[in-house]
Amino acid sequence: MSNVIVIAPHPDDETLGCGGTILKHIKNKDKVFWLIVTKMSENKGWLKKSIDQRKKEIKLVDLSYKFTSTYQLELDTGWLDQIPLHLLIDKIGQIIKTNKIEIVYTPFIGDAHSDHNIVTKAAIACCKWFRYPYVKEVLMYETISETNLNILNEPKFKPNVYIDISDHLQKKIKIMRLYKSEVKKHPFPRSDQAIKSLAIIRGSESGFIYAESFQQILRRIK
């Protein structure tokens, strides 16, 4: 049994990036912790109706996965570049230490959204072996509409780990639908068809019916 954390800059990143893998970990009796970094707030222009809807969605998603525990840092979405990085490192690091996290899932560092980049820089800083000796593996996940829309001269996502989610894809899609404001009809990136299509492509690359792919950046074997 492993202690796993899935770091989501925004609610829905966890499901898009590794929803099937989360379900697989939970089925295997691993302890899975969900860390949501940002929130919507009225002082940044979000409507109260949208904020309340998102809070309901988070509760439903939490119940659907049955996470061991869910953490919310409640930093303003889209404004992570306005806070000192060391504060984010401290917050993430404390959660990793408290739960003796062994496996870390974090967004791809080259994603189009700056929040993803900043969160992963902070997460990687929390994986130094001499400060966090229990961390054994760090994997970056891909997020539809962020990883694949990185059109600038940034590092490209190069998957080197594939996880078979053939038994979990349908539930992943069902959970994603709970984010009512984030899922739309094809060809919108966050559509049922897009999610399934990516799983098919990653499956065809790895010999599975459906798969999620990751770029592993740390693996420590004792």
Side-chain angles (χ1 to χ4, degrees):
M1 186 170 68
S2 299
N3 294 336
V4 180
I5 192 166
V6 180
I7 304 176
H10 319 99
D12 82 352
D13 290 331
E14 79 296 325
T15 300
L16 288 169
C18 47
T21 299
I22 291 169
L23 292 167
K24 194 161 191 170
H25 275 297
I26 292 171
K27 183 180 179 181
N28 292 340
K29 308 299 182 184
D30 294 328
K31 292 183 178 179
V32 183
F33 301 86
W34 183 21
L35 170 56
I36 305 168
V37 177
T38 67
K39 67 169 184 176
M40 298 174 172
S41 59
E42 289 186 80
N43 66 346
K44 298 300 182 185
W46 294 96
L47 297 176
K48 186 177 184 302
K49 180 181 178 181
S50 298
I51 295 170
D52 291 343
Q53 177 63 34
R54 181 49 53 86
K55 288 179 180 178
K56 290 178 183 177
E57 291 168 353
I58 289 171
K59 287 181 180 179
L60 289 172
V61 170
D62 193 2
L63 289 171
S64 295
Y65 281 118
K66 297 183 175 62
F67 287 110
T68 301
S69 187
T70 295
Y71 295 89
Q72 298 188 56
L73 300 187
E74 298 191 327
L75 302 172
D76 288 323
T77 185
W79 290 77
L80 293 185
D81 59 348
Q82 301 300 307
I83 66 171
L85 185 63
H86 74 86
L87 294 180
L88 186 55
I89 293 171
D90 289 346
K91 291 176 183 292
I92 294 175
Q94 186 57 52
I95 295 169
I96 289 176
K97 285 181 179 177
T98 298
N99 299 290
K100 291 183 168 54
I101 296 297
E102 298 163 271
I103 302 174
V104 177
Y105 291 97
T106 188
F108 177 56
I109 200 164
D111 280 358
H113 201 304
S114 62
D115 283 354
H116 290 215
N117 174 274
I118 292 165
V119 165
T120 294
K121 283 181 178 178
I124 291 172
C126 298
C127 298
K128 297 174 181 177
W129 71 265
F130 50 89
R131 291 200 178 119
Y132 308 87
Y134 21 76
V135 175
K136 300 296 189 292
E137 191 171 13
V138 181
L139 302 106
M140 297 189 294
Y141 58 80
E142 58 181 334
T143 310
I144 291 177
S145 81
E146 299 299 343
T147 306
N148 58 314
L149 293 183
N150 170 8
I151 58 176
L152 298 176
N153 188 26
E154 297 288 345
K156 300 300 180 183
F157 183 71
K158 297 178 181 178
N160 52 19
V161 172
Y162 294 83
I163 295 179
D164 181 5
I165 63 163
S166 302
D167 294 336
H168 305 291
L169 178 64
Q170 294 308 315
K171 187 168 183 181
K172 167 179 174 166
I173 292 173
K174 184 178 179 181
I175 293 174
M176 187 61 204
R177 288 177 188 153
L178 295 173
Y179 292 109
K180 296 185 182 300
S181 61
E182 300 297 332
V183 177
K184 298 180 182 179
K185 293 181 179 180
H186 184 71
F188 188 70
R190 294 186 293 277
S191 65
D192 290 2
Q193 293 95 324
I195 294 169
K196 184 175 182 180
S197 296
L198 181 58
I200 290 172
I201 290 171
R202 295 314 186 193
S204 72
E205 293 172 350
S206 54
F208 302 122
I209 303 301
Y210 302 115
E212 288 173 340
S213 69
F214 303 87
Q215 187 169 329
Q216 184 184 71
I217 54 175
L218 173 69
R219 190 180 184 199
R220 296 177 59 238
I221 302 174
K222 186 173 181 179

